[in-house]
Amino acid sequence: MDFYPVAIEKLIEEFAKLPSIGKKTAQRLCLHVLNLPKEEVEEFANALIQARGTIKYCSICGNYTDKDPCAICGNPNRDKTQVCVVEQPKDIMTMERVREFNGVYHVLHGNISPMQGRGPQDIRIRELVARMSGDIREVIVATNPNIEGEATAMYIAKILKPLDVMVTRIAAGIPVGGDLEYADEVTLSKALEGRKQI
Amino acid sequence: MDFYPVAIEKLIEEFAKLPSIGKKTAQRLCLHVLNLPKEEVEEFANALIQARGTIKYCSICGNYTDKDPCAICGNPNRDKTQVCVVEQPKDIMTMERVREFNGVYHVLHGNISPMQGRGPQDIRIRELVARMSGDIREVIVATNPNIEGEATAMYIAKILKPLDVMVTRIAAGIPVGGDLEYADEVTLSKALEGRKQI
């Protein structure tokens, strides 16, 4: 029905596979790419391959990284006695933007959601427990303040209790039902400040 | 300030260069790509290279094509006596969707805009005049119904008048000030039907 050459159809299709990109936007992006200098398109294609090829998970915290351990875990100036637990790597970036946390992270890569059949064994809880030897004084749970995030926080508090480590939860301040990604720096800073033991 | 590895920063930057993609969307698209199977990312990268590498302009109509002449100009069933003049290759796709036009096209790759210093010599008017030998009975000007598009239509009508070819303009029906891309099929069909000599 459409009369685009195959290579154009194919690129439109690839763009349309991306989240939040519809057919019309994909078409516009494709036509934009056709008008770019060849080198720029190659640079874009390379960036895709490079990102997917060189990025792996940090063996300590589970964050995206190009070296192991990651820049945060490998930084001698970061406080290794405080571990902030987040659901996704992108949450680390959000926390870092606050510039008030100097500890290290633990990425769960998900949350506990009985509704969707995701239990503790499906996220990196085992790895979190394994890190609890020795130095760690405090675990700050910064999962999203929604049902799954709260359930995950409760579970972590319960499982770490016998290990004699303080478990805290970032405070109200972030609108409940929201997503960490959309919290502004001040709100997040307040939330960090007002954290309570759970 | 951001703590993404270089390869991630680079890919986010590349996504953010695309039209209508902001920093936040670029970040989401990048993280999406990191979670894709390696083969799918390679396929995407390849589609970019392929599209930019194999697509050229049809030497007759100026449409995007992977062979010369393009599928429309090379189709013996298309009526070569009717030429529909459009501003951009994407407008051909819009016209084709109407399924009521069986002639061929001419892509101007722009419009006349004195305000922006774009004159007739900056778009493919010379090529249009060169096509006017022999068979062509009618030139349907389907430039956008805005100031630049109308000015372009007027200019084409003036320059083709001495060549004894009928020049028509797609009819009102498309909201004035609009863009051809967003017209629905029925409106476009009405506009084609009601075209008048200019």
Side-chain angles (χ1 to χ4, degrees):
Chain A
M1 151 102 194
D2 274 347
F3 291 80
Y4 283 120
V6 183
I8 295 189
E9 283 291 355
K10 174 75 184 149
L11 182 54
I12 293 177
E13 192 187 291
E14 288 292 332
F15 271 123
K17 276 186 199 165
L18 297 173
S20 78
I21 307 281
K23 186 80 196 285
K24 207 118 203 182
T25 306
Q27 185 178 314
R28 203 174 55 238
L29 293 179
C30 175
L31 297 182
H32 171 82
V33 165
L34 292 180
N35 283 322
L36 288 178
K38 211 163 196 156
E39 307 76 55
E40 279 190 39
V41 178
E42 279 161 10
E43 211 177 318
F44 184 14
N46 252 325
L48 281 166
I49 302 278
Q50 281 296 314
R52 183 59 185 80
T54 66
I55 299 301
K56 47 183 183 284
Y57 294 134
C58 171
S59 62
I60 300 177
C61 71
N63 188 15
Y64 288 127
T65 183
D66 47 4
K67 56 179 185 295
D68 197 19
C70 73
I72 295 173
C73 290
N75 184 343
N77 297 321
R78 306 285 302 217
D79 179 3
K80 304 292 192 302
T81 69
Q82 271 192 329
V83 177
C84 177
V85 177
V86 294
E87 294 183 20
Q88 299 294 347
K90 73 173 165 26
D91 297 328
I92 293 187
M93 308 310 142
T94 314
M95 292 299 292
E96 286 298 292
R97 251 186 279 124
V98 189
R99 295 166 169 279
E100 287 196 15
F101 178 70
N102 194 40
V104 291
Y105 293 94
H106 188 84
V107 185
L108 295 174
H109 288 284
N111 50 34
I112 298 176
S113 172
M115 291 289 287
Q116 293 177 50
R118 266 199 318 277
Q121 70 288 349
D122 298 318
I123 60 177
R124 295 179 70 252
I125 298 248
R126 210 179 308 110
E127 290 85 344
L128 178 64
V129 175
R131 286 177 73 177
M132 289 304 126
S133 53
D135 307 345
I136 294 166
R137 280 190 304 102
E138 181 181 2
V139 171
I140 304 172
V141 185
T143 51
N144 285 318
N146 52 27
I147 297 174
E148 291 88 2
E150 290 297 344
T152 309
M154 287 305 138
Y155 184 86
I156 290 172
K158 198 186 74 181
I159 206 136
L160 295 187
K161 206 122 237 172
L163 300 180
D164 197 32
V165 59
M166 181 160 74
V167 181
T168 58
R169 177 87 173 104
I170 51 167
I174 305 171
V176 170
D179 193 300
L180 212 68
E181 191 180 9
Y182 301 105
D184 60 287
E185 281 79 337
V186 181
T187 310
L188 252 176
S189 172
K190 276 265 175 293
L192 256 180
E193 227 175 56
R195 66 184 186 267
K196 296 197 194 70
Q197 189 167 2
I198 43 179
Chain B
M1 153 101 195
D2 274 345
F3 291 79
Y4 283 120
V6 182
I8 294 190
E9 282 292 354
K10 175 72 185 151
L11 182 55
I12 292 177
E13 193 188 290
E14 287 293 333
F15 270 124
K17 277 187 199 164
L18 297 173
S20 78
I21 307 283
K23 186 79 197 287
K24 207 118 204 182
T25 306
Q27 186 178 315
R28 202 174 55 239
L29 294 179
C30 174
L31 297 183
H32 171 82
V33 165
L34 292 180
N35 284 321
L36 287 178
K38 211 162 195 156
E39 307 76 56
E40 277 189 39
V41 177
E42 279 161 9
E43 211 177 319
F44 184 14
N46 251 326
L48 280 166
I49 302 277
Q50 282 295 315
R52 183 59 186 79
T54 66
I55 298 302
K56 47 185 183 284
Y57 295 133
C58 170
S59 62
I60 301 176
C61 71
N63 188 15
Y64 288 127
T65 183
D66 48 5
K67 56 180 187 289
D68 198 18
C70 74
I72 296 173
C73 289
N75 183 343
N77 297 321
R78 306 283 304 216
D79 179 3
K80 304 291 193 301
T81 68
Q82 270 192 328
V83 177
C84 178
V85 177
V86 293
E87 294 183 20
Q88 299 294 347
K90 71 174 168 21
D91 298 328
I92 293 187
M93 307 311 143
T94 314
M95 292 300 291
E96 287 296 295
R97 251 185 279 123
V98 189
R99 295 166 170 278
E100 287 198 13
F101 178 69
N102 194 41
V104 291
Y105 292 95
H106 188 84
V107 185
L108 296 173
H109 287 284
N111 51 34
I112 297 175
S113 171
M115 292 289 287
Q116 294 179 46
R118 265 200 319 276
Q121 72 287 348
D122 298 318
I123 60 177
R124 296 179 69 252
I125 297 251
R126 209 180 309 109
E127 289 85 344
L128 178 65
V129 175
R131 287 178 72 177
M132 289 305 126
S133 53
D135 306 345
I136 294 166
R137 279 188 306 102
E138 181 179 4
V139 172
I140 304 173
V141 185
T143 51
N144 285 318
N146 52 27
I147 297 175
E148 292 86 1
E150 289 297 344
T152 310
M154 285 306 137
Y155 184 85
I156 290 173
K158 198 185 75 181
I159 205 132
L160 295 186
K161 204 120 241 174
L163 299 179
D164 198 33
V165 59
M166 181 159 73
V167 181
T168 57
R169 178 86 174 106
I170 52 168
I174 306 170
V176 171
D179 194 300
L180 212 67
E181 191 180 8
Y182 301 106
D184 61 286
E185 281 80 334
V186 181
T187 310
L188 253 175
S189 172
K190 277 266 174 291
L192 256 179
E193 228 174 56
R195 65 185 187 269
K196 296 199 192 69
Q197 189 166 3
I198 45 179

